[in-house]
Amino acid sequence: MTTVTGHTQAIPASRVIGTSVYNSAGETIGTIEDVMLDKTSNGIMFAVVGFGGFLGMGEKYHAVPWPALGYDKTRGGYVVPFSVDQLKAAPAYSVSELTQDDGRAARDAAFLHYRVKPYWH
């Protein structure tokens, strides 16, 4: 079943992981490395987007609020409505930091930084 915007309501995580992410200017900013699930609300906390790095070294991981990702069929990837400056200033984490405190610290910082309405309120 599709939503009013033509998107499907369900998608396997395996199809999301590895998908490119673009900024509002159409530039590739990274790829979705993983998604963090919120077991208590049965929702998605955030997408883990990898920015930069070479062969896994020096890569920064950013928690990007799931509601901020819009899929663009023409690009075959997700687009976020953020400026280059917002993305550069975003909190960056290691994989272990993303999961500390059940992921709440990274989630809260991401929703605050990008000014996305928290789903848990």
Side-chain angles (χ1 to χ4, degrees), residues 16-56:
V16 172
I17 295 168
T19 303
S20 294
V21 179
Y22 303 89
N23 66 14
S24 55
E27 302 164 317
T28 304
I29 59 166
T31 58
I32 296 180
E33 301 293 331
D34 215 334
V35 291
M36 295 293 286
L37 306 176
D38 186 336
K39 287 180 65 176
T40 58
S41 72
N42 296 321
I44 300 172
M45 294 176 80
F46 53 84
V48 177
V49 179
F51 293 22
F54 179 70
L55 298 176

Side-chain angles (χ1 to χ4, degrees), residues 71-117:
Y71 190 77
D72 183 339
K73 284 185 179 182
T74 61
R75 286 194 175 100
Y78 291 92
V79 178
V80 292
F82 309 128
S83 70
V84 173
D85 290 338
Q86 280 178 298
L87 293 163
K88 284 182 181 177
Y93 304 92
S94 67
V95 172
S96 63
E97 290 171 327
L98 283 170
T99 58
Q100 286 177 339
D101 189 30
D102 287 337
R104 287 189 305 264
R107 176 201 68 185
D108 294 354
F111 276 77
L112 180 65
H113 175 78
Y114 293 116
R115 296 185 178 129
V116 173
K117 183 181 177 188

